[in-house]
């Protein structure tokens, strides 16, 4: 399966609140309405925390959710 890269998921300047480690781009498996996607998102290498930036959540992810719900 290919990894979807989105420019809205820039991790520059973000760090994990629990670990203090910088968030780095990493493949993350997402699932919604029986559909699975592997998306490169900012993730803490130590604890696995994943950040979904607001611009991505309210932009492309919301568009994809609506498309899947309309199927």
């Amino acid at each position: 399966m290919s990894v979807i890269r989105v420019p809205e998921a820039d991790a520059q300047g973000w760090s994990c609140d629990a670990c203090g480690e910088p968030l780095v781009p990493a493949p993350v498996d997402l699932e919604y309405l029986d559909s699975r996607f592997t998306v490169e998102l900012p993730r803490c290498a130590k604890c696995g925390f994943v950040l979904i930036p607001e611009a991505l959540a309210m932009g492309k992810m919301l568009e994809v959710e609506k498309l899947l719900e309309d199927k």
Side-chain angles (χ1 to χ4, degrees):
M1 179 180 269
S2 64
V3 177
I4 301 169
R5 291 182 174 80
V6 287
E8 294 90 342
D10 182 20
Q12 196 169 24
W14 286 93
S15 61
C16 179
D17 189 49
C19 302
E21 296 289 320
L23 300 183
V24 295
V28 175
D29 292 328
L30 302 177
E31 183 175 335
Y32 187 72
L33 294 176
D34 297 327
S35 295
R36 292 178 163 242
F37 310 92
T38 302
V39 181
E40 189 176 274
L41 292 172
R43 187 172 85 186
C44 175
K46 187 174 181 181
C47 72
F49 170 82
V50 175
L51 171 70
I52 300 177
E54 183 177 2
L56 178 61
M58 300 307 291
K60 283 195 188 256
M61 290 182 95
L62 185 59
E63 289 175 26
V64 171
E65 285 178 8
K66 288 180 180 177
L67 289 171
L68 291 172
E69 290 170 0
D70 289 342
K71 278 188 171 180

